[in-house]
């Protein structure tokens, strides 16, 4: 309990420190002037695009579910995604809403609760894989990144791929012996929980290893979701007179997303702005322009989050099992 309180105090302090820094060193008159250059019609289009992306996220999540009973409808997946989007703005990091989403599922589904809750994690793994792959492509095609930097990035990526393949091999080996847990592992309540959780996790991993096309379909869908967001950021950057290529803004968007995953601030606020400032400064972009881009992106997220509030008070569709 004390540890949780200290973490929240730390997050509030980090948020206050970043806000004080921005207020002290950023000329917000220039930020507002930059934002005014964005046509209203672009901002109006971003909202339905964001809702469409949330719907696609729900479809991707459905693909990642191994619940054979199919207790959740397409509308349920969309509803949970909207609820998650709302809570993401008030929870630590940008994935805090996933925890709320898992709680909702655990309380509303009737059977296979663990499978449905774990599907949230596997969906995020697919999304994270997509972000990493698209980020690497953006680095490869960016004309403004030094060739030596690209070389180092892809060496690290290759090493990461080898570690991933090693992990898959280990999971296959462990999955083969998962049905034979150690003697005495289930004698206590904690031991049974660990054993059952391990067996379920291995079963889900085995499900995707034997059905790679499901993972590929979910990954391709994730590409569409993320690339559409890169285009939105790119067109916002153009109207803010930020002179970077599409591949550069894509790479920056990937890095900002990864940084704001770390739950050190409420909804990523402050950390997101500083990330944009730091990453875009290497392209000669002023701190005010970078802040304007971050604030505009965040504002659209807040509007979508507000639209998600009514979904909190709705109920899951009744589906016969």
């Amino acid at each position: 309990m004390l540890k949780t309180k200290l973490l929240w105090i730390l997050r509030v302090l980090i948020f206050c420190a970043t806000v004080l820094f921005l207020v002290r060193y950023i000329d917000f008159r220039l930020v507002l002037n930059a934002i005014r250059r964005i046509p209203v019609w672009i901002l109006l289009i971003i909202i339905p695009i964001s809702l469409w992306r949330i719907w696609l996220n729900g479809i991707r999540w459905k693909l990642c579910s191994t619940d054979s009973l199919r207790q959740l409808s397409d509308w349920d997946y969309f509803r949970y995604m909207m609820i998650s989007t709302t809570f993401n703005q008030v929870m630590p990091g940008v994935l805090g809403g996933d925890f709320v989403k898992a709680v909702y599922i655990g309380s509303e589904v009737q059977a296979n609760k663990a499978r449905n809750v774990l599907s949230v994690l596997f969906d995020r793994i697919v999304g994270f894989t997509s972000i990493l792959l698209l980020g690497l492509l953006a680095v490869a095609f960016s004309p403004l990144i030094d060739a030596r930097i690209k070389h180092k990035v892809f060496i690290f990526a290759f090493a990461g791929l080898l570690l991933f393949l090693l992990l898959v091999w280990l999971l296959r080996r462990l999955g083969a012996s998962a049905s034979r847990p150690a003697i005495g592992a289930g004698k206590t309540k904690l031991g049974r929980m660990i054993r059952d959780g391990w067996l379920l996790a291995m079963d889900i991993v085995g499900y995707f290893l034997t059905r790679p096309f499901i993972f590929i379909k979910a990954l391709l869908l994730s590409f569409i979701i993320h690339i559409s967001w890169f285009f939105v950021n790119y067109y916002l950057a153009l109207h803010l007179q930020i002179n970077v290529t599409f591949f550069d803004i894509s790479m920056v968007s990937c890095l900002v997303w990864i940084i704001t995953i770390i739950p050190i601030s409420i909804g990523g606020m402050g950390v997101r702005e500083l990330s944009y400032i730091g990453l875009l400064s290497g392209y000669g972009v002023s701190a005010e322009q970078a802040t304007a881009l971050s604030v505009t992106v965040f504002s659209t997220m807040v509007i979508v989050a507000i639209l998600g509030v009514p979904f909190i008070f709705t109920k899951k569709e009744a589906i016969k099992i």
Side-chain angles (χ1 to χ4, degrees):
M1 191 68 178
L2 178 61
K3 184 178 180 181
T4 303
K5 289 182 179 179
L6 290 175
L7 284 174
W8 274 102
I9 292 172
L10 178 62
R11 288 164 185 150
V12 171
L13 289 175
I14 291 174
F15 171 71
C16 292
T18 54
V19 170
L20 286 174
F21 175 85
L22 292 170
V23 171
R24 184 176 178 84
Y25 293 100
I26 302 296
D27 188 341
F28 278 91
R29 290 175 300 175
L30 295 178
V31 172
L32 292 175
N33 288 335
I35 293 175
R36 289 193 187 104
R37 288 196 291 266
I38 302 175
V40 176
W41 65 267
I42 289 183
L43 297 177
L44 293 176
I45 288 176
I46 289 175
I47 304 305
I49 289 176
S50 298
L51 293 173
W52 173 71
R53 291 177 62 251
I54 291 173
W55 178 264
L56 292 181
N57 269 308
I59 296 174
R60 184 189 70 189
W61 177 22
K62 182 179 179 181
L63 288 172
C64 293
S65 176
T66 61
D67 180 17
S68 58
L69 298 177
R70 298 298 176 188
Q71 301 172 76
L72 302 178
S73 66
D74 291 346
W75 174 255
D76 289 324
Y77 284 108
F78 176 69
R79 169 178 169 259
Y80 288 131
M81 289 303 305
M82 289 297 294
I83 292 172
S84 173
T85 301
T86 299
F87 279 96
N88 275 340
Q89 308 311 314
V90 294
M91 297 285 285
V94 294
L95 298 181
D98 282 359
F99 173 77
V100 176
K101 186 165 59 177
V103 171
Y104 264 83
I105 296 169
S107 64
E108 292 188 351
V109 298
Q110 299 175 19
N112 291 343
K113 292 180 182 289
R115 282 187 178 277
N116 282 283
V117 170
L118 282 175
S119 68
V120 176
L121 173 61
F122 278 87
D123 174 59
R124 276 303 176 186
I125 290 173
V126 173
F128 188 67
T129 303
S130 170
I131 281 285
L132 290 178
L133 292 176
L134 291 174
L136 288 172
L137 283 175
V139 170
F141 287 100
S142 172
L144 301 179
I145 298 179
D146 187 88
R148 290 171 297 180
I149 297 177
K150 292 182 181 181
H151 180 70
K152 292 178 181 178
V153 167
F154 280 91
I155 284 180
F156 280 112
F158 181 71
L161 177 61
L162 290 179
L163 288 174
F164 173 76
L165 293 175
L166 176 62
L167 176 63
V168 170
W169 178 78
L170 286 173
L171 287 174
R172 280 182 175 273
R173 293 293 300 272
L174 291 171
S177 59
S179 58
R180 302 187 299 273
I183 297 174
K187 289 185 176 180
T188 65
K189 184 176 180 181
L190 178 60
R192 288 193 297 271
M193 288 176 61
I194 294 173
R195 181 198 62 191
D196 294 343
W198 174 255
L199 290 174
L200 177 60
M202 288 298 98
D203 182 47
I204 293 175
V205 169
Y207 177 89
F208 287 109
L209 288 176
T210 56
R211 297 169 179 83
F213 285 109
I214 293 179
F215 179 82
I216 293 172
K217 284 170 63 178
L219 189 62
L220 290 175
L221 187 58
S222 194
F223 286 161
I224 295 172
I225 294 167
H226 291 134
I227 291 173
S228 65
W229 187 237
F230 297 160
F231 272 110
V232 167
N233 287 354
Y234 178 62
Y235 278 106
L236 287 175
L238 288 180
H239 286 283
L240 291 170
Q241 298 180 354
I242 296 176
N243 297 317
V244 293
T245 68
F246 171 74
F247 294 108
D248 292 307
I249 204 68
S250 298
M251 181 193 66
V252 168
S253 300
C254 289
L255 290 173
V256 169
W257 187 85
I258 292 171
I259 292 170
T260 50
I261 283 178
I262 305 170
I264 58 175
S265 176
I266 308 302
M269 290 184 290
V271 174
R272 181 185 298 102
E273 285 68 36
L274 292 178
S275 299
Y276 272 110
I277 292 171
L279 292 169
L280 289 173
S281 64
Y283 297 95
V285 177
S286 70
E288 285 74 18
Q289 287 175 304
T291 303
L293 177 59
S294 178
V295 169
T296 306
V297 170
F298 177 66
S299 299
T300 60
M301 293 166 59
V302 170
I303 293 172
V304 174
I306 293 172
L307 294 176
V309 171
F311 290 87
I312 298 174
F313 305 100
T314 59
K315 295 183 178 180
K316 189 182 84 66
E317 274 191 353
I319 297 177
K320 292 182 180 180
I321 300 177

